[in-house]
């Protein structure tokens, strides 16, 4: 753990990216996050929209070091300078993690974890109930009938980058855990009460639309478990609300995991959840606003209201409040405070929402938090079109006894 180097005038060092005609994070870019307090560790999540239209395209863009959108993502990451970050919507490919770090992040993250995603993984069944089995790779129909929506395997995946060592041998993934094996699963039904999914579908359908990862990170002799996921959006379905129900259960998985539920089995067959008393940080685009949007009521509160979770500080930004006021429309009807928003969605519906979370365990004190969202015209605001989501960060202090 360390205190970040002070930047003259609270400004970011100039960083020149190898993008023709484009210099990002240039003169006077304000360090929106500020400096972390001594002894604090900065955890972050960012749905960076680093997905591409076909397999291999992201790998090529990463290797080139010249992609403007990725350069903007990197500028935001370098500005906030998290110690550990989960990046959502990062197409899976072996080596994509190291290529991103080497080509765009100056080697700042010596440790990383990347693994396959359920997105684009065909089931061979009619999951969406339209009477057609999507068989042709790369098509929208195949994507809708896959374990997780994706036009190719690994699209919309995720990656963890860390400045601290990852205990790779202790990582647990739950990509193959079946939805029906979740006790009291919210499985969708039709209007007549019959199951929306066939018996064949229920026999194989996985809970995770991407995956659920427990990534243990060693920090000054202590271990913090980064619990990473990206539940499906609670939309793009029908009256059965299959995506909304799945979203709520994907979130609920972490509730059961931190409660050490004994029914859980990871991809290696190991049983049980997180050991009692372990430090953790839940991170990701959960696609569920606490009060607005179309998620199942209470979906996000399964975590934000949990006694084992420290949700005492909500990351916020002035830029989010200003954007909601300027954009109006759906934002005017929202019940939640606009300053807590983390995503700039369509103005008419659903409007801007809080869907990205960094939630430490109750034993980790929060020393600071924020959302990277400069107001329009402010330094750094030109980077925001890299994604419709914003980077969210939380600084935590490990217990004194562990340092």
């Amino acid at each position: 753990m360390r205190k970040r180097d002070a930047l003259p005038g609270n400004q970011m060092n100039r960083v020149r990216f190898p993008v023709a005609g484009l210099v990002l994070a240039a003169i006077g870019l304000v360090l929106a996050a500020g400096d972390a307090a001594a002894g604090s560790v900065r955890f972050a999540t960012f749905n960076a929209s680093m997905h591409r239209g076909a397999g291999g395209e992201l790998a090529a863009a990463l290797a080139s070091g010249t992609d403007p959108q990725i350069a903007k993502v990197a500028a935001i990451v370098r500005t906030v300078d998290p110690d550990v970050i989960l990046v959502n919507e990062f197409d899976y490919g072996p080596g994509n993690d190291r290529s991103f770090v080497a080509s765009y992040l100056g080697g700042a993250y010596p440790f990383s974890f990347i693994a396959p995603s359920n997105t684009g993984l065909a089931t061979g069944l009619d999951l969406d109930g339209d009477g057609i089995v999507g068989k042709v790779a790369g098509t929208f129909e195949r994507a809708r009938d896959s374990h997780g929506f994706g036009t190719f395997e690994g699209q919309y995946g995720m990656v963890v980058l860390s400045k601290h060592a990852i205990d790779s041998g202790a990582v647990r993934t739950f990509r193959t855990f079946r939805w029906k094996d979740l006790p009291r699963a919210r499985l969708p039904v039709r209007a007549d009460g019959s199951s929306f999914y066939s018996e064949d579908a229920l026999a194989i359908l996985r809970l995770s639309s991407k995956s659920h990862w427990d990534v243990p990170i060693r920090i000054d002799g202590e271990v913090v478990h980064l619990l990473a996921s990206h539940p499906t959006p609670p939309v793009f379905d029908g009256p059965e609300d299959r995506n909304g129900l799945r979203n709520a259960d994907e979130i609920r998985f972490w509730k059961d995991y931190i409660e050490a539920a004994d029914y859980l089995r990871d991809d290696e067959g190991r049983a049980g959840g997180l050991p009692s008393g372990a430090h953790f940080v839940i991170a990701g685009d959960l696609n569920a606003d606490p009060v607005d949007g179309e998620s199942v009521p209470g979906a996000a509160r399964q975590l934000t209201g949990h006694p084992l979770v420290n949700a005492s500080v909500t990351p916020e930004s002035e830029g989010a409040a200003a954007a909601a006021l300027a954009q109006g429309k759906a934002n005017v009807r929202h019940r939640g405070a606009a300053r807590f928003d983390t995503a700039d969605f369509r103005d008419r519906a659903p409007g801007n929402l809080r869907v990205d979370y960094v939630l430490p365990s109750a034993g980790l004190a929060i020393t600071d938090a924020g959302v990277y969202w400069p107001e329009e015209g402010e330094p750094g605001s030109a980077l925001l079109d890299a994604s419709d989501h914003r980077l969210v960060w939380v600084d935590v202090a490990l217990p004194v006894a562990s340092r």
Side-chain angles (χ1 to χ4, degrees), residues 234 247 251 285-290 292 295-296 299-300 354-357:
N247 170 273
I251 295 171
D285 173 5
L286 300 186
N287 271 315
D289 185 282
D292 298 306
S295 59
V296 170
R354 180 192 180 196
V355 294
D356 305 274
Y357 296 81

Side-chain angles (χ1 to χ4, degrees), residues 270-317:
R270 292 172 290 189
L274 194 67
S276 177
H279 301 305
F280 63 82
V281 174
I282 301 170
D285 173 5
L286 300 186
N287 271 315
D289 185 282
V291 293
D292 298 306
E294 298 185 43
S295 59
V296 170
R301 186 159 177 76
Q302 294 176 109
L303 300 179
T304 61
H306 199 288
L308 294 178
V309 172
N310 181 359
S312 61
V313 177
T314 302
E316 61 181 90
S317 70

Side-chain angles (χ1 to χ4, degrees), residues 24-50:
L24 302 176
I27 302 172
L29 179 58
V30 174
L31 181 60
D35 293 335
S40 292
V41 182
R42 179 162 292 174
F43 289 84
T45 189
F46 189 13
N47 180 331
S49 297
M50 289 175 63

Side-chain angles (χ1 to χ4, degrees), residues 210-223:
K210 287 81 177 177
S211 191
H212 283 72
W213 297 345
D214 174 351
V215 182
I217 299 171
R218 297 192 176 278
I219 305 172
D220 287 359
E222 186 59 86
V223 174

Side-chain angles (χ1 to χ4, degrees), residues 298-373:
R301 186 159 177 76
Q302 294 176 109
L303 300 179
T304 61
H306 199 288
L308 294 178
V309 172
N310 181 359
S312 61
V313 177
T314 302
E316 61 181 90
S317 70
E318 294 180 2
L325 181 63
Q327 294 165 6
K329 297 182 181 178
N331 295 293
V332 176
R333 301 188 294 273
H334 284 176
R335 294 172 292 159
R339 68 182 185 278
F340 298 145
D341 290 342
T342 68
D344 188 355
F345 292 143
R346 292 174 298 175
D347 297 341
R348 187 171 302 279
N352 302 342
L353 299 172
R354 180 192 180 196
V355 294
D356 305 274
Y357 296 81
V358 180
L359 300 170
S361 52
L364 298 177
I366 298 175
T367 60
D368 203 358
V371 179
Y372 184 87
W373 198 327

Side-chain angles (χ1 to χ4, degrees), residues 380-392:
S381 60
L383 302 175
L384 296 181
D385 64 358
S387 174
D388 54 355
H389 291 253
R390 306 291 179 253
L391 187 151
V392 179

